[in-house]
Every structure is written in C-alpha cells, then in structure tokens.
Amino acid sequence: MNIDKEDTELSLPPNYFFMEPKTTKKSKRMEHFSLINAHAAGIDVGDTEMVVAVSPSACEQNVRTFGTFTCDYEQIVCWLQECKITHVALESTGVYWLQLYLLLERVGFQVTLANAKHIKNVSGRKDDENDAMWIQRLHSYGLINGSFQPDLQIRGLRDLMRHRRSLVSDQSRCINRLIKALELMNIKVQTVLSDIDGKTGKAIVEAILNGERDATVLASLADKRVKASKETLLKSLHATWSAQYLFLLKQQYSTYNFISSQIKEIDLQIEKQLQTLSASLHEGELCPVNVDYPRKRSTRKNAIPFNATAYLFSLLKVDLTKIPGISEVSALEIISEIGTDMSRWPTENHFTSWLGIVPNTKKSGGKIISNKIMKKKHRAGQALRIAASTMYQSKSPLGDFFRRKQAKGGPSKAILATATKIAISIYMMIRHKTPYQPEKMKDAQDRFKQAQIRKLESRLAQLKSAA
C-alpha cells in the first residue's frame, strides 16, 4: 500500500506558527500584575532584629536592619516616613510583631499583618533580607491578604479572656495532681464524690492538711447532698499516710487556691474592660446596663460571677445566650475574638470560612480533590465546636439537627454542621440586630418528626403483615 507524503502531513494554516495562542478570561487577568501600592514596605519580624525593605526607587539602601527596642521602632517609623511609605506589611511571627504593628497603626500607616504561611519565599537561599524584599514585592502588587485584627478595646478583652482560659486549664491540671497525691495515699474519696473541689472535698482536704487522720471525723464533714452512703465514704478515707505525699497535697492545694484567687481578680478586670468597651462604643459615655437582665443559669464552678449577659446585650443589642449551647463564658470568648463589627465579613459564608468550621474544598481539573477542614487553631471556632458538642441531648430544634447529622455522618460531622448553624445565627443576630429565631428551625424539626412517624408506621405495617 503506497501512502503519499502529502497525505501524512497535517493541513495547517499558512500563518499557524505566527498566530497568538488563545487565552481565557482568567489567564488574561493573570498575564500582567499591576502596581497597586507604589509606596509599600515589607518587614521581616524577629525576636532580636527587624529587617525592613522598601522599593529601590524610594531609597538607595532599600534594605535596613533595626533592633527591637522601643527606640529602634521609632527609628523604623522615621525612616519609613522619610521614604514616603504609606503601606506596610509585616510578618506575624510569634508576638514580636504586636508593638511595632500598634505603633505603625497609631502613626497613620496602613498596616497589613501577613500570615507567614501565605507569603513563603520562592525556593533558594533563605535569609531575612530576601524575606523582607519578598514581602515588600508581594505587598506592592496587592498579593497579601491581611489577617483580621480587632480594635484596641476588643484586643484588651481578648487578652483577658485568653488568660482566663489558661488559668482555668491550669486549675484543672492542679486538681488532677491533687487527686494523684490522694491516690498515692490510697484515699479513694475522689471516686465517691462527684468533684474533689466541691464543698465536701475541700473540707476533707483542709482537715487532712490540718493534721486530722481519723476517717470517722473526716467522713462527718460530708455535706448532706452527698449521695454516697456513710459506710462507702468511711471506707474511702482509710489511708496509708506518707509525709512526702502529704507535702505534695499541700503544695497542690495551695496552688489551687492561688489560681482560684487569680481567676476572681481577672473576672473583676473583665468587668472593667466591658465597661470601658461600652464607653468607647457610645462616644465616651457609659451605656446604662440593666443588671437585672435575665441571665442563663449556669452550674459551672468557674462561671462569670457578674451579669455578663447584660453587658453583652448593651453592646450588641441582642442576647447571644438565647442560642442553645452558648453560655456567658462562650459568648464572651466569641465576642472577644470576632469583635462587634460584622461588616468585616461580607456574608455569613465568609464568616464561617474564617472560623475554620467549614470544609476547605480544593478543585483541580474540574474535580474535587480535597474536602477537608483546614488545620486552623481558631479560638472562636473551638468555642463554637464545644457549644455544638453539648447539643446531643438537647430537646431544641438545634439538638434534633445535631442528631440527624450524627446519624448520617457521625459525631465529628454533626459537631461541624451544628457549629456552622450557631455561627450563622450569631452573624445574623449581630449584623442585623435581630433576636434569635428558633421558629425557622422548628419547621424542619416538625418535618423530621412527621417523617419518623411515617417510617415507624410503615415498619409496623410490615411487621403486622409478616405475622
């Protein structure tokens, strides 16, 4: 079979090799980067030095290294002003960026805090000068998305609430070590009492530290609300006394009392901060707080002692504790992390994505290649997850929603879905100043109940026909 050479050649247009390739709309947008921040600077943050880079057109020596003392920060500000810089981007390394960030913001620069994960340098030799120049270049083309930063008053409340949470965690660890010291002496009172830091537990521990060793006397200190019998309590208090374990018990109990006093002090400071925040939002005048405003009853030992619900209502004009699972402590933690201005997130979808409680969908080739939750340590998102996990036995519509999701995808999917529902409710309430409306979920709850009834009736009819 003879094949002509002309048949094997492709029929191409005469100007094929001179034709420009076709580009889509997306590729056209990405062909050229436009200079957005012409007067931008980048700062690589460290513990002992700050490396600042500006555009070569602004200064011949466009990269300089400064110290980290207050006078060095003032020199950075003066140099940036001499270079006529208006926009500054700095890397969020530890807590070393905070004071420089506040100083630059107070002077009048437009400051952007960049996530270190989002501004990784290109491959090659890494040093602080190259990192600073890379940050400056990215910021000049508008390629750095700034991290969320609250105002000064919300930042103060956030610092106090984070410190309070760490104190509560330290107190829990101290109680565990106290229980271990009792266990080492074979005192089983912690297995009889619901909590060792209750009224009866404290009385017994204090009596032991004061020298009491008689189990009968120790058992007589039990409160009348203790459900265990006197015989069981008496058996649990027979111990093998040891000097070193008594010393450890004394150390842990004194530490527990110290942390408890610290928590009381910080609660007073949180109330003062809420008063200051109220005054800042109302042009320096203290907003009247209705101390008789009804608050949600809490049985937690480390609950807020003052009426935090009244303060939050005066600030937000809505009551977040009406949402099932949201306590006063949870509401304070969430507000201290997100602030009171919901306009920073255009929609509730942006808000839930920022909280890290929705799947991070990644697509390639038109297919979903990943649908996992981002590994993002977000305190507000953690508070919402904890609130959602308490919905397992709730009789509210939100509790029914949790159980439906748990039946389909398991506890982890149910917690995320319920946390997203709670987050959307918080966003809508604060953004539009509307109270919590469980009626919207009540319709779904009724439909679910009717479906369950029909399913059970159908199953019963099948069993009757089979019999």
Side-chain angles (χ1 to χ4, degrees):
M1 182 177 181
N2 296 327
I3 300 176
D4 295 338
K5 183 178 179 182
E6 295 179 356
D7 296 336
T8 61
E9 295 179 355
L10 297 175
S11 57
L12 300 176
N15 61 340
Y16 175 79
F17 295 101
F18 302 96
M19 293 173 62
E20 294 183 359
K22 293 182 179 181
T23 57
T24 61
K25 292 183 178 180
K26 181 177 289 189
S27 61
K28 285 182 179 179
R29 290 198 304 265
M30 299 179 64
E31 280 179 354
H32 303 287
F33 292 111
S34 58
L35 190 65
I36 296 177
N37 302 323
H39 304 282
I43 302 178
D44 183 73
V45 178
D47 183 17
T48 57
E49 62 181 15
M50 301 281 182
V51 182
V52 186
V54 298
S55 175
S57 61
C59 182
E60 293 183 0
Q61 186 183 355
N62 64 318
V63 182
R64 294 187 182 182
T65 302
F66 298 87
T68 55
F69 300 119
T70 304
C71 57
D72 298 320
Y73 290 169
E74 294 173 352
Q75 292 179 5
I76 293 175
V77 171
C78 293
W79 184 57
L80 292 177
Q81 289 176 340
E82 292 175 0
C83 297
K84 298 181 180 179
I85 298 299
T86 57
H87 296 73
V88 181
L90 66 161
E91 188 181 22
S92 59
T93 304
V95 295
Y96 309 126
W97 57 270
L98 179 58
Q99 291 303 318
L100 180 59
Y101 177 92
L102 295 176
L103 178 60
L104 292 171
E105 194 175 48
R106 186 166 59 249
V107 171
F109 292 99
Q110 295 187 21
V111 191
T112 301
L113 182 65
N115 190 336
K117 184 179 179 181
H118 300 164
I119 56 172
K120 287 184 178 180
N121 203 349
V122 294
S123 60
R125 187 174 181 179
K126 183 183 184 306
D127 54 35
D128 296 337
E129 288 77 11
N130 287 335
D131 287 346
M133 289 188 291
W134 178 249
I135 295 171
Q136 188 274 333
R137 182 176 298 179
L138 290 177
H139 195 41
S140 62
Y141 289 108
L143 297 177
I144 296 180
N145 294 324
S147 300
F148 170 78
Q149 288 299 308
D151 55 32
L152 288 177
Q153 300 300 332
I154 294 293
R155 187 188 298 277
L157 180 63
R158 185 180 68 177
D159 293 338
L160 292 174
M161 290 303 300
R162 287 181 178 181
H163 184 55
R164 187 185 192 276
R165 187 173 184 178
S166 64
L167 286 177
V168 173
S169 300
D170 293 340
Q171 189 184 51
S172 299
R173 286 191 289 268
C174 183
I175 292 173
N176 291 334
R177 290 191 290 266
L178 188 146
I179 292 174
K180 181 181 178 181
L182 292 173
E183 186 68 35
L184 290 172
M185 293 184 291
N186 204 31
I187 298 177
K188 301 289 186 176
V189 67
Q190 68 275 6
T191 62
V192 177
L193 302 176
S194 59
D195 50 357
I196 196 64
D197 57 336
K199 182 178 180 181
T200 302
K202 288 181 180 179
I204 292 175
V205 171
E206 290 176 358
I208 292 174
L209 295 177
N210 290 332
E212 185 61 56
R213 301 292 181 266
D214 190 354
T216 306
V217 177
L218 294 174
S220 64
L221 299 174
D223 190 80
K224 61 181 181 179
R225 293 172 295 176
V226 175
K227 296 181 180 180
S229 62
K230 292 183 179 180
E231 293 77 11
T232 304
L233 184 60
L234 186 63
K235 290 178 182 179
S236 67
L237 292 171
H238 287 285
T240 303
W241 305 106
S242 175
Q244 64 268 24
Y245 298 143
L246 287 170
F247 174 77
L248 294 178
L249 180 65
K250 180 181 178 181
Q251 289 270 300
Q252 297 305 323
Y253 190 66
S254 61
T255 304
Y256 168 80
N257 289 330
F258 172 74
I259 296 176
S260 299
S261 64
Q262 292 285 300
I263 293 175
K264 291 180 181 178
E265 290 181 8
I266 202 170
D267 286 339
L268 295 175
Q269 191 64 31
I270 289 172
E271 186 175 10
K272 293 180 181 178
Q273 186 66 27
L274 287 173
Q275 294 174 353
T276 305
L277 179 61
S278 175
S280 64
L281 293 178
H282 295 85
E283 299 179 354
E285 297 181 1
L286 287 177
C287 180
V289 176
N290 183 12
V291 294
D292 297 328
Y293 186 87
R295 55 189 300 200
K296 184 179 291 187
R297 182 175 176 270
S298 177
T299 57
R300 297 176 59 182
K301 289 184 173 58
N302 290 313
I304 298 293
F306 58 90
N307 193 347
T309 304
Y311 283 100
L312 291 175
F313 185 79
S314 66
L315 294 173
L316 306 174
K317 305 305 180 185
V318 290
D319 188 0
L320 297 183
T321 60
K322 296 293 184 182
I323 303 175
I326 299 295
S327 62
E328 283 187 328
V329 176
S330 300
L332 279 175
E333 288 181 350
I334 293 171
I335 293 302
S336 67
E337 296 293 335
I338 68 176
T340 58
D341 184 13
M342 293 293 105
S343 62
R344 298 192 177 190
W345 300 276
T347 63
E348 63 272 16
N349 295 331
H350 293 83
F351 181 61
T352 54
S353 177
W354 176 75
L355 290 171
I357 55 177
V358 293
N360 181 28
T361 305
K362 296 180 180 179
K363 294 183 179 180
S364 179
K367 298 180 180 179
I368 297 177
I369 61 174
S370 177
N371 202 19
K372 296 181 179 180
I373 302 294
M374 291 182 63
K375 294 181 179 179
K376 188 176 183 181
K377 187 178 179 181
H378 200 293
R379 290 177 174 83
Q382 290 176 349
L384 290 170
R385 293 187 189 193
I386 293 173
S389 64
T390 63
M391 291 292 101
Y392 177 69
Q393 295 181 344
S394 175
K395 297 180 180 180
S396 63
L398 203 58
D400 284 345
F401 175 80
F402 180 92
R403 288 184 286 273
R404 291 199 303 272
K405 292 298 180 181
Q406 185 182 26
K408 292 181 179 180
S412 60
K413 298 291 181 63
I415 289 174
L416 288 174
T418 309
T420 303
K421 283 281 186 181
I422 296 174
I424 293 174
S425 298
I426 292 174
Y427 179 86
M428 292 299 182
M429 289 173 66
I430 300 177
R431 183 73 184 267
H432 303 291
K433 304 301 179 184
T434 56
Y436 178 64
Q437 299 175 354
E439 296 81 10
K440 294 182 179 180
M441 295 190 66
K442 190 71 168 58
D443 296 337
Q445 184 185 25
D446 294 337
R447 289 195 301 268
F448 175 72
K449 288 181 178 180
Q450 293 298 325
Q452 290 294 102
I453 291 172
R454 290 193 298 269
K455 182 179 179 181
L456 292 174
E457 289 177 348
S458 176
R459 179 61 178 164
L460 181 59
Q462 292 176 1
L463 291 175
K464 286 181 178 181
S465 62

